[in-house]
Amino acid sequence: MRELVRTNDPVLVNFIESLLRQGRCRAMVADQNMSVLEGSIGAFPRRILVHDDDYREACSILRDAELGQWIYDERN
């Protein structure tokens, strides 16, 4: 699995999950349950991870949706 996006925005996470699902990319959201420990203040970002084989396609999907700035490797 490879990290695609890291964000505190739950709406963005849901939107990206939907885009990836439509594009048939295998993805999962990590750290989603940290809100229970932190008290739902949004201090811990959620990470969207994609299967290594789907990473390039997932990046392409985000760029096509004008969300390329959220791709984790490209920000660092």
Side-chain angles (χ1 to χ4, degrees):
M1 298 295 282
R2 189 163 171 191
E3 185 171 350
L4 179 67
V5 173
R6 183 181 294 190
T7 182
N8 291 348
D9 186 342
V11 175
L12 180 62
V13 169
N14 288 334
F15 182 58
I16 291 173
E17 274 187 299
S18 176
L19 290 173
L20 295 175
R21 201 173 310 115
Q22 289 173 5
R24 300 195 193 318
C25 291
R26 294 166 285 181
M28 67 170 279
V29 178
D31 307 321
Q32 200 165 10
N33 295 322
M34 288 300 290
S35 62
V36 173
L37 298 174
E38 66 170 322
S40 298
I41 59 173
F44 293 103
R46 279 88 176 142
R47 295 176 297 138
I48 299 175
L49 307 174
V50 294
H51 193 278
D52 292 335
D53 296 339
D54 295 330
Y55 182 78
R56 294 181 95 186
E57 178 64 21
C59 288
S60 178
I61 289 169
L62 290 188
R63 284 189 205 99
D64 289 347
E66 297 184 11
L67 296 172
Q69 73 272 17
W70 289 100
I71 298 172
Y72 186 71
D73 284 348
E74 293 182 3
R75 292 187 307 168
N76 295 320

